[in-house]
Amino acid sequence: MTFIVRPAFSSDLSQLEAVEMAAAQLFDGLKSTEGLQKKTVPMHHLQSAHANGMLWVAVSAAQTIVGFVLAEKLDENVHISEMGVIPAYGRQGIGATFLRTIKQFAHDSGFRKVSLTTFATIPWNAPFYAKNGFRPLMSSEIGESLALLIAHERSLGLQDRMTMGYVVREP
């Protein structure tokens, strides 16, 4: 299937909850993801990311939004807050294209790193990011805001999490 990745339009925002809920079906029944069940990114976060140019969508040849990635500035770096692809469109390069897009955005915008949190033992999570150049971050590499985000994820009941990063440019 053919797709394009482009910056989100404001008219796209209302469609992203359905994409996120469809993507979350991959995690149904997994104990480590119970804190995510039926939760979506609040509209004000989508609006903020859109306003800051940090929200991209994947659009199918039929002009349907089939995935999105949302990033934010965190500790002077780019942090991937959410990435989801409708399962029927999975394993077609959309996620990898999202990662290349964010890496290029980070580079062009002068950021040094891209970070994310993911599930350590779910087979399609951490290995996917590692294959795309991300590596586990040591605690000394985690800034204050990212540490607060990790603590928040734990408060939601998310288990089995790891923090990964990609170096865009050396200091």
Side-chain angles (χ1 to χ4, degrees), residues 113 135-143 146 150 162-165:
K113 292 181 188 172
R135 64 169 180 76
L137 293 179
M138 297 180 293
S139 58
S140 62
E141 298 176 283
I142 295 174
L146 184 52
I150 294 165
M162 69 183 299
T163 306
M164 299 181 80

Side-chain angles (χ1 to χ4, degrees), residues 3 85-95 123-124 128 131:
F3 67 91
V85 176
I86 294 174
Y89 292 87
R91 304 188 62 82
Q92 297 179 36
I94 294 171
W124 62 86
F128 165 75
K131 182 175 135 180

Side-chain angles (χ1 to χ4, degrees), residues 2-8 55-60 66-69 85 93-102:
T2 305
F3 67 91
I4 62 162
V5 168
R6 63 162 170 77
L55 180 63
W56 296 266
V57 295
V59 181
S60 72
V66 298
F68 75 97
V69 62
V85 176
I94 294 171
T97 301
F98 280 148
L99 295 179
R100 284 192 303 273
T101 299
I102 287 187

Side-chain angles (χ1 to χ4, degrees), residues 142-159:
I142 295 174
E144 184 178 329
S145 296
L146 184 52
L148 288 172
L149 176 72
I150 294 165
H152 175 70
E153 288 183 355
R154 285 189 190 121
S155 77
L156 294 174
L158 295 176
Q159 304 171 28

Side-chain angles (χ1 to χ4, degrees), residues 14 36 39 44 49 51 63 71 73 76 78 95 101 104 107 117 123 128-129 141 145 148 152 156 161 164-165:
S14 63
L36 290 178
K39 292 186 176 153
H44 69 276
Q63 298 304 303
K73 182 180 172 186
E76 303 302 318
V78 174
T101 299
Q104 189 63 53
H107 179 270
T117 58
F128 165 75
Y129 294 113
E141 298 176 283
S145 296
L148 288 172
H152 175 70
L156 294 174
R161 299 294 278 173
M164 299 181 80

Side-chain angles (χ1 to χ4, degrees), residues 78 101-111 113-114 168-169:
V78 174
T101 299
I102 287 187
K103 290 175 192 177
Q104 189 63 53
F105 169 81
H107 179 270
D108 293 349
S109 301
F111 291 100
K113 292 181 188 172
V114 177
V168 176
R169 67 180 80 236

Side-chain angles (χ1 to χ4, degrees), residues 1 20 32 37 54 64 73 85 100 124 138 147 156 160:
M1 293 183 199
E20 188 174 3
S32 60
Q37 303 305 323
M54 298 180 94
T64 302
K73 182 180 172 186
V85 176
R100 284 192 303 273
W124 62 86
M138 297 180 293
L156 294 174
D160 186 38

